[in-house]
Every structure is written in structure tokens, then in C-alpha cells.
Amino acid sequence: MPDGSQSASPPALSRSPLHERHEALGAKFAEFGGWEMPLQYSGIVEEHTAVRSAVGIFDVSHLGKVVVRGPGAVAFVNATLSNDLGRIGPGRAQYTLCLDADTGGIVDDIFSYYRDDEHVLLVPNASNNAEVHRRLAAAAPHGVEVVDHHADFVILAVQGTRSDDVLAKVGLPVGHDYLTFVEADFAGDTVIVCRTGYTGERGYELIAPSTVALPLWDAVMEAGEEFGILACGLGARDTLRTEMGYPLHGQDIGPTVTPNEARLGWAVGWKKPEFWGREPVLAEKEKGARRKLVGLVSTGRAIPRPHMSVSLVPDVLLGEVTSGTFSPSLKQGIGLALVASVVADDAEVAVDVRGRREVFKIVKPPFVDPSVRES
């Protein structure tokens, strides 16, 4: 380099406290939101099928962890994030959105865990954790503390029809309702056992201090052996969530996409007097959004990929694919796309797949029947 200057090296990726376990299992790694995480172990289709038919375990410790605590913590979160915590109570979880106050765009989608009126745990996406923490910390009133615990906790997702059997064998509580959580003791520490997940199957997410990450992983893997448990990477997590039509921040939703366009109005407390972005999204709702997020199913053998154009005829562009994959369950190509709102919800459209106009049918997700809410 001239003048003796050196090129800046990229920042080191964060690693899960379970990294050595993943290496021992032969995981292939990839970067996710600044973290080096398992993409796959035995193969995406095999891992996907294990979750749909039995049980799989995912390390999703790259997800963010932000704690809001102090007098009025729930009221503060309710006045900032989109969904209405008044609809739930202690021991329940809720999907919510952090919106830009000026545009109504989705800064992040978040799960909130309502522990009590003075304690809310938020789980943002990995790449948005710092920004969500920054916005909340800057707005917090006196007495309310917003703490970033991104690297302090491990999160394991145990997903599939046999997930109850596995966790019961570990000695953790199971059987509580969807979107509820129970705290339990494990190895002298507290594990939060949440009936949540990103796969569409019945399952749990375990949030625990990083100090017990290894024994917790080992206990779940040992207990799950008789039920056919497989370690699953984020590749299978992506195919599973796409089959459910669950949006991925940075692809299907983001700062340029509103809840109305993403069809996430159910995650907005429209009757609340205050939340970030309320005015622009309420005005857009009354006027009607210009775009909408839809599901696509191939009528042939084509597989859609992000950024492929969607059209009615070659010169009438409707939008583009935001997520696309081969569905291991359906054995056909599926995807999500942001298209003009005027398009009928059952229309046939063309997707430009490497220069070929392939026919897809617009459908309403999920693409497969979920078991997530089964009691």
C-alpha cells in the first residue's frame, strides 16, 4: 500500500459458547449478523426433515438479548414497540416490531418476554441488537435501565413433534401454552423455557446463561438420541421458516418496508395512543399500502431466489422475490415476494429465473400445515 498504510482487517466474528461442539459435529459455518454460526451439519434437507418428523436442536445464540427493567419498564416498552403488551401479562411472549418513528419502516422484528411489570426481555435479530438497544436506551425515562446482554446468554431452539419428550427427559418443564414461558433450574442456574420458535413446529426455545451452555446442549443431545434428534444449522432454519411464510429481517422486511406492506398489522397495537412510527403507519393503513408481501409456489420445477423480478407480462413489473428456496416438504419451489397491492391474492405471475419466465401462483402462507400451536 502507498505511504506504508495497511488495509483494515475485517472485524472478528463473534462465536457461540457452543462453537467447539459444532466443530466436533463437523458443522459448516457461515456468517450471520456478525457471528460465525453453523450453516449445516449432516445436510439441510436431512435436518429440515428431522424437525418436521421428529426433533432438531438449533444453536441460535447469535440472536440479541436486551433487558429492560425498572419501575415502568413495561409501560416504556409499550410506548415504543408496536404490539400491545396490555394484551398479555407476566409469563407470556409476544411478537412485536421496532419501527422508525418518522417512516414507520421496520427497524427490527423482536420477541418480547414479559416477566413482570418491571422486567421485559427482548430478543432482537443479531445484526440489529445494537441498534435496538441504542434506540431504547436513548429514550428510556429515569429509573428504567436498558441493558445489552448479547453475549451473556445462550439460546437453544428444540423444535419438532418430539420436543416435549426430549425436554421432559432433561427435567425441564413442558406442555405450557404457545407463547408462554416458564423459568426452571438447570445446573444451578435459571433456564427460561419458552414455547416459541421459528420453524412452525411445536417446540421450545431455551434461554440460559452462557456458563451452562455446554452442559445444557449435552443434556438435550443425550436425551434426544432415542427420539432421533439432529443438530440443525441455520440453513434448515431458513427453509423451515420459509415454508411457514415467516419473514426474515434484511430480506422480506426492513427499514424500507412497513407493517402494512409486510401484512404484519396483527403485530401492531392500533388502539394504543403511542408507539414509534404510529402516525405514518396509521396514515398508510387508512390510505392503503402500495405493496404487499405474498407467497409464491412454482407451477413447475423452478426455484425462486431473492431479487428475481416478478411480472404479469414481460413489460409489467410487479415487484421482486424477497425469499426463495426449494421446499423439502412440498418438493417444489416456494418463496415470498413484495408485489404491487393491486395484484390478486390468487393470481398467476411470472418470475424471471435466470432469464426464463417461470409461472408461479400467489398463495397465502403457510405453505405447510404447522403444529406450533398444538396443545
Side-chain angles (χ1 to χ4, degrees), residues 44-107:
I44 291 175
V45 172
E46 185 178 355
E47 294 163 24
H48 177 112
T49 303
V51 173
R52 290 278 183 250
S53 62
V55 63
I57 179 173
F58 302 78
D59 178 7
V60 289
S61 300
H62 63 301
L63 294 175
K65 304 96 181 170
V66 174
V67 170
V68 183
R69 60 190 176 207
V74 164
F76 166 63
V77 172
N78 212 30
T80 54
L81 303 186
S82 70
N83 215 333
D84 188 356
L85 286 172
R87 297 173 179 169
I88 63 172
R92 300 197 67 88
Q94 185 181 69
Y95 180 79
T96 190
L97 306 170
C98 177
L99 303 180
D100 183 85
D102 296 325
T103 67
I106 301 171
V107 175

Side-chain angles (χ1 to χ4, degrees), residues 155-215:
I155 304 181
L156 303 183
V158 182
Q159 301 282 296
T161 54
R162 304 309 297 270
S163 55
D164 286 62
D165 299 311
V166 174
L167 294 189
K169 192 173 178 182
V170 175
L172 293 174
V174 295
H176 38 291
D177 291 340
Y178 182 53
L179 295 181
T180 66
F181 62 93
V182 178
E183 296 186 7
D185 177 77
F186 179 85
D189 266 302
T190 299
V191 176
I192 305 173
V193 183
C194 316
R195 268 291 310 278
T196 48
Y198 197 46
T199 67
E201 294 300 334
R202 181 183 179 86
Y204 300 82
E205 291 178 306
L206 312 177
I207 305 174
S210 295
T211 51
V212 298
L214 293 173

Side-chain angles (χ1 to χ4, degrees), residues 274-306:
E274 183 181 8
F275 59 88
W276 290 338
R278 182 179 185 274
E279 288 73 23
V281 297
L282 190 60
E284 182 189 54
K285 182 187 179 189
E286 293 172 351
K287 181 180 178 181
R290 63 186 180 88
R291 301 183 297 176
K292 62 184 177 182
L293 190 67
V294 299
L296 298 175
V297 175
S298 175
T299 61
R301 302 182 58 162
I303 300 173
R305 299 298 183 191

Side-chain angles (χ1 to χ4, degrees), residues 66 76-83 94-112 122-125 128-137 139 249 253-259 264 267-268 272 275-278 281:
V66 174
F76 166 63
V77 172
N78 212 30
T80 54
L81 303 186
S82 70
N83 215 333
Q94 185 181 69
Y95 180 79
T96 190
L97 306 170
C98 177
L99 303 180
D100 183 85
D102 296 325
T103 67
I106 301 171
V107 175
D108 199 21
D109 59 335
I110 299 168
F111 256 97
S112 59
L122 303 175
V123 178
N125 285 287
N128 299 323
N129 183 81
E131 180 62 15
V132 170
H133 172 259
R134 183 192 69 80
R135 291 183 182 229
L136 288 169
H249 196 278
I253 57 176
T256 63
V257 181
T258 68
L264 292 175
V268 177
K272 292 198 304 180
F275 59 88
W276 290 338
R278 182 179 185 274
V281 297

